[in-house]
């Protein structure tokens, strides 16, 4: 499990969703790292793609609504980062389906998901918590 306490933003809903994302992506990496019986893993890959596409929308919406609520100054650029990520996941979903879920591409995606998640949650999303703190506002 790659989730760390220090990744918390300080907003319960967002932190819970982040933790779930980390959990799912960690699991996904573990499954696809081992290439044995690859055919049996394709269902897991499909399920993860659907989860990522659906859950990420829910989560990004929650985060964006929260940022609107606190008048977060970087909302627009944050939205752009979210929409680029959604596009990456959707593009991978299309390619994977078209090409029959090749190991290398699935593993590459799993690595990218984790790298993106760590970078985004540990850096970009942290700024939301810091902003709230400096405003002295309520979370
Ligand atoms: Fe975010």
């Amino acid at each position: 499990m790659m989730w760390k306490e220090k990744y918390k933003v300080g907003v319960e809903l967002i932190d819970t969703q982040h933790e779930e994302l980390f959990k799912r992506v960690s699991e996904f990496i573990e499954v696809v790292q081992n290439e044995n019986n690859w055919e049996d893993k394709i269902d897991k890959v499909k399920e993860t793609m659907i989860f990522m596409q659906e859950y990420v929308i829910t989560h990004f919406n929650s985060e964006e609504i929260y940022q609107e609520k606190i008048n977060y100054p970087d909302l627009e650029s944050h939205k752009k980062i979210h929409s680029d990520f959604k596009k990456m996941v959707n593009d991978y979903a299309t390619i994977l389906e078209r090409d029959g879920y090749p190991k290398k591409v699935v593993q590459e995606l799993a690595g990218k998901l984790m790298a993106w998640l760590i970078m985004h949650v540990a850096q970009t999303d942290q700024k939301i918590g810091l902003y709230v703190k400096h405003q002295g506002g309520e979370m």
Side-chain angles (χ1 to χ4, degrees):
M1 183 59 176
M2 307 282 291
W3 170 255
K4 294 191 177 79
E5 281 296 304
K6 67 170 187 190
Y7 293 158
K8 283 191 172 172
V9 172
V11 181
E12 206 184 328
L13 175 65
I14 294 177
D15 290 333
T16 308
Q17 291 173 342
H18 281 160
E19 201 169 341
E20 176 68 10
L21 280 167
F22 270 86
K23 194 182 123 209
R24 295 295 293 249
V25 176
S26 302
E27 251 175 47
F28 183 54
I29 288 185
E30 229 169 274
V31 170
V32 304
Q33 254 168 3
N34 180 333
E35 299 181 355
N36 293 337
N37 303 318
W38 189 257
E39 289 306 308
D40 299 340
K41 291 180 173 166
I42 291 178
D43 281 345
K44 176 73 183 171
V45 178
K46 288 183 184 168
E47 182 204 302
T48 304
M49 292 315 284
I50 293 168
F51 170 82
M52 288 306 297
Q53 287 169 300
E54 288 175 351
Y55 195 78
V56 147
I57 290 176
T58 306
H59 167 60
F60 286 171
N61 284 343
S62 309
E63 239 187 53
E64 289 168 12
I65 288 167
Y66 180 75
Q67 292 178 55
E68 267 166 39
K69 198 181 101 189
I70 62 169
N71 287 315
Y72 189 61
D74 289 336
L75 175 61
E76 286 315 311
S77 64
H78 204 130
K79 274 187 177 167
K80 168 87 170 82
I81 297 172
H82 285 168
S83 78
D84 289 347
F85 179 80
K86 283 186 268 189
K87 187 179 181 313
M88 178 187 86
V89 174
N90 291 338
D91 288 349
Y92 265 103
T94 309
I95 291 166
L96 289 176
E97 196 176 77
R98 186 194 65 198
D99 296 348
Y101 301 89
K103 288 171 203 159
K104 289 289 162 244
V105 185
V106 172
Q107 287 166 338
E108 173 192 292
L109 167 68
K112 274 193 186 173
L113 290 177
M114 186 51 88
W116 189 90
L117 203 56
I118 291 174
M119 208 190 69
H120 187 71
V121 172
Q123 294 177 15
T124 312
D125 290 343
Q126 289 307 309
K127 293 182 190 155
I128 305 170
L130 286 174
Y131 172 77
V132 174
K133 246 184 236 164
H134 289 137
Q135 295 292 305
E138 240 179 79
M139 297 248 178

